[in-house]
Structures are given as structure tokens and as C-alpha cells.
Amino acid sequence: MMQRYWLMKSEPTCFSFTDLCAAPRQTSPWDGVRNFQARNLLRDEIQPGDGVLFYHSGIAQPSIVGLAKVVRAGYPDHTALDPRSGHFDPRATAENPIWYMVDVQAVAPVEQPLTRADLSRHPLLCGMGVMRRGNRLSVQPVSADEFKTVLALGGLDDVFALTGSVREA
């Protein structure tokens, strides 16, 4: 299967790239997604080895702050079953989990966060899904060209092997 690329949004007050870097093995579940379109991507499309642009949203200067990779394919999001969780969904059961998550691992921070203004100035990036007005999806596809361009702008083009796959920094 061909490697794919994604942009995943998180508010840094909820879960930041720094939090991911501080997690054991710099790996964490990408849980709490409660949008069916994004859930379908997590459940059906995103695979180990896929590249992830980590995007901080809900702040004054939303921006791409790091590079991660998927290390575990979609599996049921257990936070939907936990009444103490902020992501609890009473409709979810072990037999019908409804919501899914993947595990991601930090690869490297970008040298300087890439803001929406930075992205809008680049002809290849100004059309990215994250730039579209009203696009609030927390998980969205990114083309290989967009991914490579963001890595170059973020000073991470050395972590993108000639094969087009993410390797450790």
C-alpha cells in the first residue's frame, strides 16, 4: 500500500506536539475525534508509516508545529466508553465502538511554526484543506507534494527519504 499523508489538528491546551514528544516512546493515541468523516479516515484509510503534519489550532496563530508518523492503524477509541472521559459517548459500546483512533509518534518539530499566513503565501499550499474556509476537520488528507513542501519550508526535508517515506530525524 502506498504511503499517505495527513494533517492532524489539536488545540495545544488539550494535546500539543510537546505533549507527544514527552509521551513514552514519543507515541500516543490520537483519540477523541468525534466527527464521522474524520472517524472514517482513522478507521479505514490511515495506516502505519503514513506521515502526519501536526497542526496547533484554537490559538492566535494556528500553525504546523511538527512532523509525526502513524505507528498503529485504526482501532476502537476506548475514551468513548469511559463516562469519566471528556470524550465519552453513551451510544458507543464494545460491540459497536462508533469512534476510532490511531497511534502517532513524534518525528521532529519544525524549525519555525508554519502559520496560516506562511501557508497562504506558497502557491502549492494555499489550496490545502486546512486553508479552506469552514474546514474544521481535525484529520484531513494532504497530498505528497504538499507534504514535501511543508517539510522543506519547516526545515525538515532531510527527514523525507527519496522513497517518499518518513524516517527518523
Side-chain angles (χ1 to χ4, degrees), residues 84-101:
R84 296 174 310 242
S85 167
H87 304 299
F88 176 65
D89 184 340
R91 301 170 300 158
T93 65
E95 299 76 32
N96 180 28
I98 303 174
W99 304 110
Y100 284 75
M101 60 187 177

Side-chain angles (χ1 to χ4, degrees), residues 22-157:
R25 295 185 327 273
Q26 296 186 309
T27 301
S28 178
W30 197 268
D31 62 12
V33 173
R34 298 298 181 263
N35 171 284
F36 284 103
Q37 188 176 355
R39 182 274 320 257
N40 292 347
L41 295 173
L42 292 167
R43 184 189 64 197
D44 304 330
E45 303 290 331
I46 300 174
Q47 296 297 316
D50 285 357
V52 174
L53 301 175
F54 197 116
Y55 185 88
H56 281 171
S57 63
I59 55 174
Q61 291 287 328
S63 52
I64 296 170
V65 296
L67 173 65
K69 65 181 177 180
V70 177
V71 295
R72 183 176 177 191
Y75 61 101
D77 183 342
H78 59 83
T79 65
L81 304 176
D82 182 357
R84 296 174 310 242
S85 167
H87 304 299
F88 176 65
D89 184 340
R91 301 170 300 158
T93 65
E95 299 76 32
N96 180 28
I98 303 174
W99 304 110
Y100 284 75
M101 60 187 177
V102 298
D103 289 354
V104 296
Q105 183 177 55
V107 174
V110 296
E111 289 178 354
Q112 184 75 23
L114 296 171
T115 66
R116 291 177 59 80
D118 296 329
L119 300 176
S120 69
R121 285 192 288 273
H122 196 284
L124 186 63
L125 303 179
C126 62
M128 287 178 71
V130 73
M131 299 300 290
R132 289 191 210 113
R133 192 171 204 70
N135 186 342
R136 299 182 39 83
L137 274 183
S138 59
V139 177
Q140 50 193 267
V142 173
S143 75
D145 288 339
E146 291 167 341
F147 189 81
K148 287 186 239 182
T149 302
V150 166
L151 292 187
L153 291 175
L156 297 174
D157 45 351

